Amino acid sequence: MKIQDGCNNSCAFCKIHYARGNSVSIPVEEAVQRAVLLEENGAEEIVLTGVNLSQYESDSSSSEKINFAKLLKLLIEKTSRVTFRISSFYPQSITEELCSVLSNDRVQPFFHLSIQSGSDNILRKMNRPYGADVVVNAVKMLRSAKNNPFISCDIIAGFPSEIQN
């Protein structure tokens, strides 16, 4: 279920912000309605997708700003059995609030972090909005929210041992 499109970042290697424009999110009420309808029609799992889910933001009917963590919490509350999978996330967006929601049994234990490099120098050159220390912290937080959420540590061989273990 696509809930977001576009990106507000200007990474040196990426043209998404030119091709798709700034981040745009579907309204929270629409996302909830779609999830409920999918569940009513027999869906067992909903994969939440977007170009940059970390930038999901919507106003609720009460004028509250809803970020991705709050949206996922609402989706879990408004549905009863469907499970949720998250397509991709930026490491700087992994927060205590998000991890609290991710620890729910109905959220699948798989996370794709958009990392690209473990070198602060390379990340700066790429104009990425985080450093290697943020990646290490994000991995630690996700591991505390879900048991073994990363399929293979081979893909992070160039990162510090804190991530690999």
Side-chain angles (χ1 to χ4, degrees):
M1 181 171 85
K2 188 172 185 178
I3 61 169
Q4 185 277 336
D5 199 1
C7 188
N8 296 333
N9 296 339
S10 297
C11 299
F13 60 91
C14 185
K15 302 300 179 212
I16 287 175
H17 61 283
Y18 295 120
R20 296 195 180 191
N22 288 333
S23 180
V24 178
S25 303
I26 68 170
V28 64
E29 290 85 2
E30 182 179 341
V32 169
Q33 288 172 351
R34 286 183 186 182
V36 168
L37 185 61
L38 285 167
E39 183 178 66
E40 287 173 355
N41 285 308
E44 295 179 16
E45 178 176 276
I46 297 172
V47 180
L48 300 173
T49 66
V51 169
N52 189 341
L53 289 179
S54 303
Q55 294 178 356
Y56 179 89
E57 185 178 271
S58 176
D59 292 326
S60 70
S61 56
S62 65
S63 299
E64 177 188 8
K65 291 281 184 202
I66 303 294
N67 62 16
F68 182 79
K70 289 176 182 168
L71 171 66
L72 184 55
K73 184 177 182 200
L74 273 171
L75 293 173
I76 291 167
E77 290 171 357
K78 300 293 184 182
T79 58
S80 60
R81 61 173 166 62
V82 69
T83 59
F84 295 93
R85 189 175 302 270
I86 299 161
S87 64
S88 183
F89 231 75
Y90 275 45
Q92 77 274 18
S93 300
I94 305 301
T95 63
E96 293 292 333
E97 176 189 29
L98 178 62
C99 285
S100 174
V101 180
L102 295 176
S103 67
N104 187 289
D105 289 339
R106 290 178 46 215
V107 177
Q108 297 301 302
F110 169 80
F111 304 108
H112 173 261
L113 290 176
S114 299
I115 296 173
Q116 278 75 36
S117 177
S119 162
D120 283 334
N121 185 40
I122 298 296
L123 290 168
R124 264 190 306 280
K125 288 179 180 180
M126 295 173 84
N127 200 28
R128 295 300 279 178
Y130 56 83
D133 59 328
V134 173
V135 174
V136 170
N137 189 50
V139 169
K140 286 178 180 179
M141 291 176 72
L142 288 170
R143 283 189 169 146
S144 71
K146 288 286 187 195
N147 185 29
N148 196 22
F150 302 101
I151 291 175
S152 171
C153 288
D154 294 341
I155 59 173
I156 55 175
F159 286 89
S161 60
E162 310 84 291
I163 291 179
Q164 295 182 41
N165 299 324

